[in-house]
């Protein structure tokens, strides 16, 4: 007999009927002879709605009270699911994060899990009970309720799987797996049977929204095998683990993209050793998230620095730069909006030179100008015009043979 952790996201528990469907999926796993721990998110758009209500009352609601508020969403789902499971004749019990023994650091809104005391859950499992745990929440040493950051139920599931030494952690969602690229934009997108932890981390950080990046990091650190699969369809999903079978020896396994990117350039910066730290510390102190950074003009006495940000941060970025013009000591600031980031990801890049070169050639042949570039061992990101984004993704998807991946059902 194995132990499975199943996680169901907001859309999978969006209404009473869907909760009934989830109870069915849980019952099947139980009938297969497995012990089951279920982690659930808040129903549908509940969390968003709770956030909206708080924002109507205050422009900066207390973070402690926000955690108090948002954790109610998951509490609704756990109890309803436990009720549905009992109705099916299964023994089930629901727990909030603190009841499940999930301790976190003392940070409201984005706490990390520090420790899990799994004894209570183990006792229930030994008694044959299905344990339903509220995702996205925990408790501090002082008994304060915390949340793990938006999308954090994935992390709850993976952390429980690690603490209970489960055989597997299945992430049930509204898509059937991880795709080579977003099927809503690219018709030829294919479901992948396997993705490595590192590839998934890059894809998740690049905005492939199926998994919370911190959950993937956790799974990697504790060797938890994940499977992303559909809660409505029975087909096989995508397995995420350390070593995966090379699907047709793909060098690039996925293409991620994101629009609404802006490039900001600071021109005529004093080329002193303190310029870089001063600029980026100032931006960081104002919570502006900078992505790709390019410095040019080294070796002369004036340098230029360009960086990319989310377009929604542009106004604030310009204000911060203007306010600190004296200290930062630059000549002018320029910006370009209407950009997008297109990235190729694949562990095969490590041992295959020329992947970036091929990417640039493909883009050039399509008339797509590359404005910024950044790389990691297994990723190349380019910033291009937003209007050419989908065209660029399609061309790369074909050239790196992702359209040839067999359709999986
Ligand atoms: N309900 C939380 C959110 O919407 C956590 C989650 O769904 O993972 O962000
Ligand atoms: Mg999610």
């Amino acid at each position: 007999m194995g132990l499975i952790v199943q996680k169901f996201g907001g859309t999978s528990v969006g209404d009473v009927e869907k909760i009934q469907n989830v109870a069915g999926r849980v019952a099947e796993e139980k009938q297969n002879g497995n012990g089951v721990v279920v982690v659930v998110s808040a129903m549908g758009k509940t969390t968003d709605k709770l956030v909206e209500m708080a924002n109507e009352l205050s422009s900066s609601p207390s973070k402690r009270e926000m955690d108090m508020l948002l954790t109610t969403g998951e509490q609704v789902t756990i109890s309803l699911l436990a009720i549905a499971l009992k109705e099916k004749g299964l023994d089930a019990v629901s727990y909030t994060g603190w009841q499940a023994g999930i301790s976190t650091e003392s940070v409201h809104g984005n706490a990390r899990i520090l420790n899990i005391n799994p004894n209570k859950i183990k006792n229930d499992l030994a008694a044959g009970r299905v344990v339903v745990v509220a995702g996205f929440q925990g408790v501090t040493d002082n008994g304060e309720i915390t949340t793990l950051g938006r999308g954090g139920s994935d992390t709850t599931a993976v952390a429980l799987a690690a603490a209970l030494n489960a055989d597997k952690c299945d992430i049930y969602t509204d898509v059937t797996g991880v795709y080579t690229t977003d099927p809503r934009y690219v018709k030829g997108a294919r479901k992948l049977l396997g993705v490595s932890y590192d590839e998934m981390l890059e894809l998740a950080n690049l905005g492939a929204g199926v998994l919370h990046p911190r959950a993937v990091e956790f799974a990697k650190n504790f060797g938890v095998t994940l499977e992303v699969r559909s809660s409505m369809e029975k087909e096989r999903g995508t397995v995420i683990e350390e070593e995966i079978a090379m699907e047709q020896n793909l060098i690039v396994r996925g293409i991620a993209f994101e629009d609404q990117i802006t490039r900001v350039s600071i021109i005529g910066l004093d080329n002193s050793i303190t310029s870089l730290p001063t600029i980026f510390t100032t931006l960081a102190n104002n919570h502006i998230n900078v992505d790709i950074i390019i410095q040019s003009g080294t070796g002369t006495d004036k340098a230029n620095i360009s960086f990319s940000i989310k377009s929604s941060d542009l106004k604030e970025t310009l204000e911060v730069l203007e306010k600190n013009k004296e200290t930062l000591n630059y000549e002018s600031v320029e910006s370009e909006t209407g950009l997008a980031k297109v990235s190729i990801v694949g562990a095969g890049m490590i041992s295959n030179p020329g992947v970036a070169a091929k990417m640039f050639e493909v883009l050039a042949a399509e008339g797509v100008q590359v404005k910024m570039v950044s790389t990691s061992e297994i990723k190349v990101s380019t910033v291009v015009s937003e209007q050419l984004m989908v065209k660029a993704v399609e061309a790369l998807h074909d050239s790196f043979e992702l359209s040839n991946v067999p359709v999986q059902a």
Side-chain angles (χ1 to χ4, degrees):
M1 182 174 125
L3 175 62
I4 314 273
V5 174
Q6 298 182 308
K7 184 258 169 179
F8 294 89
T11 41
S12 305
V13 293
D15 55 36
V16 168
E17 239 170 52
K18 289 196 171 148
I19 290 178
Q20 226 152 20
N21 167 63
V22 165
R25 299 300 294 250
V26 175
E28 267 166 42
E29 204 62 82
K30 191 79 183 119
Q31 271 144 25
N32 290 339
N34 292 308
V36 186
V37 173
V38 191
V39 174
V40 284
S41 292
M43 292 170 70
K45 297 261 170 258
T46 302
T47 311
D48 288 338
K49 284 185 195 138
L50 293 171
V51 170
E52 254 168 51
M53 280 198 278
N55 288 340
E56 274 173 36
L57 294 166
S58 164
S59 60
S60 55
S62 143
K63 290 195 163 175
R64 178 191 184 274
E65 301 309 330
M66 283 310 285
D67 278 355
M68 205 55 121
L69 176 67
L70 298 191
T71 48
T72 61
E74 272 69 14
Q75 204 170 326
V76 170
T77 326
I78 52 170
S79 41
L80 288 175
L81 179 57
I83 290 169
L85 287 167
K86 282 175 195 266
E87 195 58 27
K88 280 196 172 300
L90 293 175
D91 192 4
V93 61
S94 68
Y95 291 137
T96 61
W98 69 266
Q99 287 178 312
I102 301 174
S103 314
T104 73
E105 53 183 14
S106 298
V107 176
H108 284 296
N110 201 17
R112 284 174 186 269
I113 295 177
L114 294 178
N115 183 45
I116 295 184
N117 178 346
N119 290 339
K120 196 166 170 157
I121 296 180
K122 279 186 177 161
N123 289 339
D124 288 310
L125 289 171
R129 231 162 266 141
V130 173
V131 182
V132 185
V133 180
F136 171 62
Q137 56 178 263
V139 67
T140 70
D141 280 351
N142 292 331
E144 289 292 315
I145 291 177
T146 52
T147 58
L148 310 181
R150 295 303 306 270
S153 295
D154 293 343
T155 307
T156 304
V158 176
L160 279 171
L164 294 163
N165 205 5
D167 297 290
K168 208 170 160 227
C169 181
D170 285 339
I171 308 281
Y172 286 88
T173 176
D174 54 350
V175 292
T176 51
V178 179
Y179 279 69
T180 51
T181 193
D182 191 333
R184 288 170 301 182
Y185 290 81
V186 179
K187 264 214 245 89
R190 296 282 191 269
K191 187 174 78 189
L192 292 159
L193 289 182
V195 181
S196 72
Y197 291 127
D198 288 331
E199 289 170 332
M200 195 61 230
L201 257 181
E202 290 282 10
L203 291 168
N205 280 319
L206 289 168
V210 275
L211 273 177
H212 198 230
R214 204 178 272 174
V216 183
E217 204 180 299
F218 219 105
K220 177 179 157 76
N221 290 343
F222 292 90
V224 176
T225 301
L226 300 176
E227 181 169 343
V228 174
R229 54 194 305 190
S230 160
S231 57
M232 301 310 285
E233 265 134 290
K234 293 281 162 82
E235 65 185 71
R236 218 162 23 143
T238 302
V239 173
I240 298 141
E241 55 194 343
E242 188 69 50
E243 293 286 334
I244 54 157
M246 288 297 268
E247 208 149 5
Q248 295 193 328
N249 293 318
L250 289 178
I251 292 174
V252 168
R253 205 175 304 272
I255 302 178
F257 52 93
E258 189 185 344
D259 59 4
Q260 301 196 35
I261 303 286
T262 290
R263 172 182 59 79
V264 176
S265 298
I266 306 179
I267 316 284
L269 199 63
D270 233 13
N271 212 344
S272 85
I273 195 160
T274 53
S275 290
L276 266 186
T278 312
I279 287 182
F280 290 103
T281 306
T282 307
L283 293 169
N285 288 343
N286 287 279
H287 306 288
I288 290 160
N289 231 325
V290 169
D291 186 21
I292 301 176
I293 299 172
I294 291 172
Q295 183 180 20
S296 56
T298 37
T300 58
D301 56 338
K302 293 283 177 195
N304 300 332
I305 303 243
S306 296
F307 53 87
S308 65
I309 52 171
K310 286 202 193 323
S311 296
S312 53
D313 284 340
L314 176 61
K315 188 165 167 271
E316 210 187 334
T317 305
L318 294 178
E319 279 166 13
V320 169
L321 291 175
E322 182 58 37
K323 212 165 82 199
N324 296 282
K325 187 162 189 207
E326 207 108 304
T327 358
L328 299 176
N329 200 8
Y330 61 81
E331 281 160 16
S332 60
V333 171
E334 237 175 43
S335 62
E336 181 181 9
T337 52
L339 302 177
K341 185 162 79 162
V342 174
S343 311
I344 56 174
V345 173
M349 282 180 208
I350 298 176
S351 48
N352 286 279
V355 176
K358 177 165 171 183
M359 180 182 196
F360 301 148
E361 264 164 29
V362 171
L363 293 176
E366 293 292 316
V368 178
Q369 198 198 343
V370 174
K371 310 203 176 215
M372 300 177 97
V373 183
S374 84
T375 64
S376 80
E377 259 192 324
I378 64 165
K379 172 197 82 177
V380 184
S381 291
T382 57
V383 172
V384 303
S385 154
E386 203 168 65
Q387 276 164 1
L388 300 174
M389 176 180 81
V390 174
K391 188 179 179 195
V393 174
E394 279 170 344
L396 292 166
H397 197 266
D398 282 343
S399 305
F400 284 103
E401 290 174 30
L402 293 173
S403 309
N404 301 340
V405 172
V407 177
Q408 310 286 354

